[in-house]
Amino acid sequence: MNYTTQMDAAKQGIITKEMEIVAKKEDKLPEEIRALVADGKVAIPANINHKSLSPEGVGQGLKTKINVNLGISKDCPECDKELDKVRVALEMKAEAIMDLSNYGKTEGMRRRIVEMSTAMLGTVPIYDAVGFYDKELKDITAEEFLAVVEKHGQDGVDFITIHAGLNREAVESVKRNRRLTHIVSRGGSLLFAWMELNHKENPFFEHYDELLDICAKYDMTISLGDALRPGSINDSTDANQIRELITLGELTKRAWEKNVQIIIEGPGHMSLDEIKANMILQKKLCYGAPFYVLGPLVTDIAPGYDHITAAIGGAIAATYGADFLCYVTPAEHLRLPTLDDMKEGIIATKIAAHAADIAKGIKGARDWDNKMSQARADLDWKAMFDLSIDPEKAIRYRAESKPHDDESCTMCGKMCSMRTMKKILNGEDLNMLRD
């Protein structure tokens, strides 16, 4: 049986080995996964050249996945430090890693990640173009941008962020509908600048069919980037954001016609009361394609704590339709994240994803919480640590403040409600004052 992409196979009624793996991970029937992939409701980013990949499904009815961003920059060019982050991210069971390197010759690092990573790998090819060609942005041609995409496909990248929705119409909208924070998407701002400097159409929009052919060749999923995502709560759900979203929906249908899988990227910064409506709107305008969000960050005043503001928004977004959460670290808006920043970002995002899975009724999601609750009722500290989302921190906190009574903690001591109820229900002496 011959097929070019996961979607091509699904439409032919073929269940691929990737679909079987995803079905097992999600506790679903392979046929359920196949049908969802055929309809574009689930994407399985799996480049044919990524041999170490353990495939994941992103989309309707599946567990909420998380992505970890990393990569070198001109100020922090050390590849080894970023590869250490890859190893830790894999240990912490992140489902996706995005290499956002934007300095120098990044091919070597990208290939090393592909070789070592069981998680799906994403990139933003436009970040790589300046270093790849050693040319100023203005001087890169449309053909050269597409050649970088092809290179990432050859290297084994599973999904690529492409800001194809930022066309000339959107550029004029940005000029008419001025924002407080303008364009905060790095890739979006680069394309905006290229279009204005060259007085030309976005090459990824103009040559979209050629882009699709490249992606189909390697079964590379397109993550349609939100170039006009809001960078402040003031700018959310404005004309610019919605106009681009409508275009992304049109590009989604064109991609599916060529059997290229699509993920849609979303906001951004957004107040709590707007999140649900945005999730519904995206799913409607983009025909139920998987939705990938950065945050949303629900307030703009917390530099150093943006992993928390993003987790709050992410939990709500995933409850109402988002399928894929991009992590945010405490270093957001401040610096390149350290390894510890990355860990905090992963934990915060995993909490948000799990909270949403409970709310969405994902099969088995509550079981983890129920086991933890039982361990607490039993005062079984080992089980509590084993079940913790971050066992290392839980063990360290308890060790730093040891209680007189080993059953309880230093917060309540022998007045611990769990201890009291356990002893009384077991017919034991409560013994609160005596040793």
Side-chain angles (χ1 to χ4, degrees):
M1 291 182 287
N2 295 318
Y3 58 86
T4 54
T5 68
Q6 295 293 319
M7 177 171 269
D8 182 27
K11 287 179 181 178
Q12 293 185 52
I14 300 169
I15 294 173
T16 66
K17 67 179 187 299
E18 289 82 7
M19 294 176 202
E20 290 176 346
I21 292 169
V22 169
K24 186 174 182 180
K25 288 181 177 182
E26 300 288 343
D27 196 15
K28 290 184 177 291
L29 296 173
E31 174 58 26
E32 291 181 78
I33 300 299
R34 185 208 63 77
L36 289 165
V37 172
D39 288 343
K41 303 295 193 302
V42 163
I44 303 177
N47 187 309
I48 59 173
N49 293 327
H50 190 175
K51 305 303 183 183
S52 61
L53 177 69
S54 177
E56 296 285 352
V58 179
Q60 181 178 303
L62 308 188
K63 286 177 274 191
T64 306
K65 307 304 186 297
I66 75 162
N67 171 70
V68 171
N69 289 339
L70 45 81
I72 58 171
S73 67
K74 189 170 184 177
D75 291 312
C76 301
E78 299 173 57
C79 288
D80 287 343
K81 286 186 176 180
E82 296 308 295
L83 291 171
D84 285 341
K85 291 180 186 176
V86 172
R87 295 184 187 95
V88 173
L90 294 173
E91 289 171 4
M92 296 180 75
K93 296 181 170 54
E95 290 90 4
I97 291 169
M98 287 199 81
D99 178 11
L100 304 187
S101 296
N102 59 64
Y103 173 72
K105 306 298 182 183
T106 61
E107 179 183 351
M109 179 170 162
R110 185 167 58 250
R111 286 188 168 183
R112 287 177 69 184
I113 295 174
V114 169
E115 289 172 5
M116 67 191 288
S117 180
T118 53
M120 52 186 163
L121 175 64
T123 59
V124 188
I126 193 172
Y127 294 175
D128 196 27
V130 173
F132 186 80
Y133 293 112
D134 197 21
K135 295 169 71 172
E136 286 296 334
L137 177 69
K138 178 180 181 294
D139 299 326
I140 299 173
T141 66
E143 293 73 23
E144 287 173 330
F145 280 127
L146 289 172
V148 172
V149 173
E150 175 111 28
K151 188 72 184 68
H152 284 219
Q154 292 170 349
D155 290 344
V157 173
D158 301 297
F159 67 102
I160 49 170
T161 293
I162 299 289
H163 301 90
L166 184 67
N167 54 19
R168 290 302 314 180
E169 179 185 358
V171 165
E172 295 308 312
S173 175
V174 170
K175 293 177 181 177
R176 292 193 307 271
N177 301 286
R178 290 300 179 94
R179 288 171 151 186
L180 195 60
T181 50
H182 310 298
I183 296 177
V184 299
S185 159
R186 188 194 305 168
S189 67
L190 291 173
L191 276 172
F192 183 94
W194 186 92
M195 293 162 71
E196 289 294 277
L197 290 169
N198 289 291
H199 307 290
K200 291 183 178 180
E201 180 58 275
N202 178 347
F204 296 118
F205 180 79
E206 184 176 7
H207 301 283
Y208 190 62
D209 285 331
E210 294 171 56
L211 173 69
L212 293 176
D213 290 339
I214 294 170
C215 291
K217 183 177 177 181
Y218 302 99
D219 197 0
M220 194 160 45
T221 299
I222 298 179
S223 188
L224 283 170
D226 50 342
L228 300 183
R229 69 174 180 265
S232 63
I233 59 172
N234 181 78
D235 297 339
S236 61
T237 324
D238 68 353
N240 300 311
Q241 178 192 331
I242 303 305
R243 181 173 281 105
E244 181 185 35
L245 186 59
I246 292 170
T247 303
L248 296 185
E250 295 168 351
L251 294 174
T252 295
K253 294 191 80 173
R254 286 174 60 187
W256 287 346
E257 288 169 2
K258 289 202 171 190
N259 295 321
V260 174
Q261 298 183 104
I262 289 292
I263 295 172
I264 305 295
E265 297 187 12
H269 293 234
M270 182 171 289
S271 65
L272 285 168
D273 58 306
E274 295 180 44
I275 295 174
K276 180 179 178 180
N278 267 263
M279 300 305 109
I280 295 170
L281 190 62
Q282 184 278 333
K283 288 287 185 175
K284 183 73 173 177
L285 292 176
C286 296
Y287 309 99
F291 197 23
Y292 175 28
V293 297
L294 178 72
L297 281 72
V298 295
T299 180
D300 299 328
I301 61 161
Y305 299 92
D306 277 330
H307 58 312
I308 298 174
T309 61
I312 293 168
I316 296 170
T319 294
Y320 292 110
D323 307 289
F324 194 13
L325 302 181
C326 186
Y327 92 150
V328 173
T329 77
E332 185 78 7
H333 303 112
L334 299 172
R335 68 175 187 205
L336 190 76
T338 64
L339 186 60
D340 286 339
D341 292 331
M342 185 196 76
K343 289 180 180 179
E344 287 195 54
I346 290 174
I347 293 296
T349 312
K350 285 172 74 75
I351 292 169
H354 180 66
D357 286 349
I358 293 170
K360 288 191 287 192
I362 296 296
K363 187 177 180 180
R366 284 179 177 266
D367 294 348
W368 186 3
D369 297 74
N370 291 341
K371 289 176 183 176
M372 176 63 88
S373 297
Q374 186 63 60
R376 285 176 173 153
D378 294 340
L379 293 172
D380 185 343
W381 290 95
K382 182 181 183 306
M384 284 186 251
F385 296 145
D386 289 344
L387 289 163
S388 295
I389 200 166
D390 184 1
E392 182 182 318
K393 187 171 186 177
I395 291 168
R396 174 166 55 84
Y397 268 41
R398 181 161 170 79
E400 286 174 351
S401 185
K402 292 187 176 181
H404 180 71
D405 185 276
D406 285 340
E407 280 190 312
S408 60
C409 74
T410 54
M411 179 74 176
C412 299
K414 286 190 175 183
M415 285 191 181
C416 170
S417 60
M418 295 297 187
R419 178 181 183 274
T420 298
M421 294 305 298
K422 180 182 178 183
K423 286 187 174 293
I424 293 299
L425 291 175
N426 288 339
E428 299 175 18
D429 179 17
L430 191 55
N431 182 20
M432 296 185 68
L433 299 177
R434 303 182 305 278
D435 288 334

